[in-house]
Amino acid sequence: MRAALLQAGESRFELGEIPTPEPGPGQVRVRIGGAGACHSDLHILHDPGRRPAAGAEPWILGHENAGWVDALGPGASGFEVGQPVAVFGGWGCGHCPVCLAGEEQLCDPGRWGGIGAPGGYAEAQLVPATRHLVPIDGLDPAEFAPLTDAALTPYRAVRKAMPHLVAGTTAVVIGVGGLGQFGVQLLEVLTPARVVAVELSDAKRKLAAELGADLVLDPAEGDTGAEIRRFAGREGPAAVLDFVGADATIALTLGTVGRKGLAVIVGLGRGSAPFSFVTNGVEAAVTTSNWGSRTELAEVVELARAGTISTRVERRDLTEINEVFDRLASGEIEGRAVLIP
Ligand code: NAD
Ligand code: ZN
Ligand code: ZN
């Protein structure tokens, strides 16, 4: 099968032919309909500290996958060949406390499909168990693929913030890229909060307004923190969701979160900022948020089926993968690019 391969020490993919994997006992092979190009793969390409474990090169990345069941291994059940499915990529050991509680993505990123195990930048992906599949009958796998992360991750983040976001409150989304655009939509669909979007790119600020953001700010102009505080009023924002995670955005997040509010750090920009009574002066909670669970993915499928969340999918042939990541790096992908093998 055709696959985009990443060799150790390389930051560009090369297209190659490798043997199509055969599913072993309990496993299932999925024919990939589309694989979303996530910014996390850019971190992997350009930051040697974030490479998957050595020894399994060349790696096949791609953790936002959907397609059709292609072959079931001995004993694998619950699905039929040809059935459209989303792949839940946060594979865990299946036996530890977080896995048993249904939050396998919290177990060990080294096992995740498309990070530690071969992913979806290929014609097919081997999935270790049918419990990682979510049926998407009636949905187009290429359109749905990005939702397995770009919507699932903000879904979990917004769910964490929901108890704070009662009527009359303000939520802030920082970074309206692949994930943040779903952050804005999910806040609109799931909460009565007013939404402030902070985004560097003109085109994506326009998109944020179209998706329903009540105030859209360019962090390169004026005092963004002061404008957020003015808009949110005396209580301050009840939730601030940072989809960038750089020093500047974490400082803005922690510097604006309101009284009894929640700051959710989602972006993996390697940033940090101080948070204390002295610098921030509020009682507030700060948390990270890690992908989403299989159950939350099933809930995202229901939202997509109801037509309440969607993305602008830019379909690209897998052979264009390097160009797609160059454009993602320079902020030129408006919704999500999906690689079609
Ligand atoms: P993206 O490139 O599509 O979007 C990032 C957006 O942030 C862009 O629109 C960019 O213009 C904007 N931006 C950059 N710096 C900014 C700043 N200082 N202020 C305001 N806006 C700014 O990326 P994505 O695929 O949406 O991923 C976003 C981040 O989330 C990445 O760091 C990615 O690795 C991470 N991520 C985390 C998880 C998780 O589970 N925590 C899951 C998936 C992705
Ligand atoms: Zn991702
Ligand atoms: Zn586990």
Side-chain angles (χ1 to χ4, degrees):
M1 66 174 185
R2 202 161 64 140
L5 306 171
L6 180 64
Q7 302 286 353
E10 294 294 324
S11 58
R12 304 198 62 83
F13 298 95
E14 61 186 42
L15 265 291
E17 286 283 332
I18 58 165
T20 303
E22 284 306 323
Q27 299 178 333
V28 54
R29 186 174 68 221
V30 171
R31 180 160 65 87
I32 296 295
C38 176
H39 200 116
S40 297
D41 287 342
L42 266 183
H43 295 311
I44 290 175
L45 289 180
H46 299 296
D47 183 346
R50 302 202 201 188
R51 294 265 154 160
E57 306 91 333
W59 297 296
I60 302 175
L61 303 185
H63 55 269
E64 295 189 348
N65 306 314
W68 302 269
V69 173
D70 195 28
L72 292 155
S77 62
F79 288 84
E80 281 171 21
V81 170
Q83 192 174 348
V85 288
V87 178
F88 167 71
W91 307 338
C93 71
H95 306 290
C96 74
V98 289
C99 285
L100 290 173
E103 298 192 300
E104 291 205 29
Q105 86 283 5
L106 304 182
C107 177
D108 172 12
R111 292 175 178 267
W112 289 355
I115 306 283
Y121 298 153
E123 283 177 280
Q125 182 185 25
L126 197 60
V127 177
T130 51
R131 74 174 187 277
H132 300 307
L133 302 182
V134 177
I136 54 166
D137 302 78
L139 297 172
D140 172 1
E143 292 279 324
F144 188 82
L147 277 70
T148 60
D149 175 25
L152 175 58
T153 301
Y155 181 74
R156 182 177 180 84
V158 169
R159 287 288 307 271
K160 284 188 206 300
M162 273 169 70
H164 300 257
L165 295 172
V166 298
T169 58
T170 298
V172 181
V173 170
I174 303 175
V176 190
L179 269 66
Q181 58 170 317
F182 281 108
V184 172
Q185 292 180 65
L186 288 162
L187 287 165
E188 295 292 337
V189 170
L190 301 177
T191 83
R194 293 180 300 263
V195 176
V196 179
V198 181
E199 164 61 50
L200 279 175
S201 126
D202 293 345
K204 292 178 200 169
R205 281 200 306 280
K206 197 162 159 271
L207 178 61
E210 285 167 20
L211 293 173
D214 301 282
L215 175 68
V216 181
L217 298 172
D218 178 355
E221 267 183 29
D223 185 342
T224 310
E227 290 198 50
I228 291 172
R229 280 187 290 270
R230 193 159 42 238
F231 181 83
R234 183 154 185 264
E235 299 304 316
V240 184
L241 283 63
D242 181 356
F243 292 104
V244 181
D247 286 340
T249 60
I250 295 182
L252 183 63
T253 300
L254 302 182
T256 52
V257 65
R259 300 196 293 204
K260 299 199 79 177
L262 181 68
V264 189
I265 315 284
V266 178
L268 305 176
R270 290 220 166 196
S272 61
F275 185 70
S276 74
F277 264 128
V278 179
T279 52
N280 306 80
V282 289
E283 176 181 309
V286 182
T287 183
T288 51
S289 195
N290 193 354
W291 208 344
S293 69
R294 184 203 176 284
T295 313
E296 286 166 333
L297 179 56
E299 291 162 16
V300 166
V301 171
E302 292 306 324
L303 289 173
R305 209 168 253 145
T308 47
I309 54 167
S310 62
T311 185
R312 293 182 189 185
V313 161
E314 186 185 319
R315 291 169 192 250
R316 291 283 157 197
D317 193 87
L318 186 59
T319 54
E320 298 172 81
I321 186 167
N322 287 313
E323 186 209 323
V324 161
F325 276 99
D326 288 346
R327 289 181 46 236
L328 185 65
S330 55
E332 289 165 51
I333 306 280
E334 242 197 66
R336 200 58 144 186
V338 172
L339 294 159
I340 316 273

